[in-house]
Amino acid sequence: VMGFGSKGWMTDILNAFDPIVLNVANSQRLQEECDVLALSMSKHAGTIVLSEYKAVMLASLRSLVREWDSHHEVAWSWMWENVERMLKSVLHKPTVQQRNLQNLFQRLDDK
C-alpha cells in the first residue's frame, strides 16, 4: 500500500476496514471489531503507527471519490481518529493476556 507494503499490520486493518465502517454507528460493535483487530495486529513485530494508515486511507479515498470535499475529509478523519483511539486502548492487551495465560498454564502443568 503506497510504500507501506512491508507493514503487515496495515493489511490487517484493511481486512477489518469493511466491518469497522459498517459498524461505526454502533459503539459496542465497533469496540468488538477493534478488539479483534488488536488481536491480529499483536502478532506483528515492530512499531505500529496508526496515523500512517490514516494517511493511506485518506489518499485512497480522495482518488476514489470524484467530488471529495472538506466534509468528506472531516467525516473520514473523525471516523479513523475514533477507531485509532479504540485500538490504542487495547493494543497492549493481547500481549498481557498471553503472558497471563502462559503463567496459568505453567501453574496447571506444575500441579
Side-chain angles (χ1 to χ4, degrees), residues 20-109:
I20 285 172
V21 172
L22 291 173
N23 292 294
V24 74
N26 182 340
S27 61
Q28 287 181 322
R29 180 61 194 273
L30 181 60
Q31 184 63 60
E32 289 173 3
E33 295 296 337
C34 289
D35 291 345
V36 171
L37 178 55
L39 283 172
S40 90
M41 290 174 68
S42 71
K43 296 177 181 172
H44 297 282
T47 304
I48 294 174
V49 183
L50 295 170
S51 60
E52 290 177 350
Y53 186 83
K54 179 182 177 184
V56 171
M57 176 194 74
L58 289 174
S60 298
L61 288 168
R62 283 183 204 116
S63 70
L64 292 171
V65 179
R66 278 186 196 195
E67 298 181 23
W68 184 267
D69 63 17
S70 62
H71 293 96
H72 291 96
E73 191 87 17
V74 168
W76 284 99
S77 292
W78 173 86
M79 187 273 311
W80 181 253
E81 287 161 8
N82 282 295
V83 169
E84 187 174 342
R85 181 181 44 79
M86 290 177 160
L87 282 171
K88 284 181 177 178
S89 73
V90 296
L91 271 175
H92 70 284
K93 288 185 179 181
T95 305
V96 172
Q97 292 166 339
Q98 182 179 10
R99 189 171 42 247
N100 290 341
L101 278 173
Q102 286 172 337
N103 290 339
L104 172 67
F105 291 145
Q106 181 64 41
R107 280 184 272 152
L108 290 173
D109 286 343

Side-chain angles (χ1 to χ4, degrees), residues 1 8-20 37 53 56:
V1 181
W9 57 268
M10 280 205 182
T11 303
D12 291 345
I13 296 174
L14 185 59
N15 291 335
F17 197 67
D18 193 42
I20 285 172
L37 178 55
Y53 186 83
V56 171

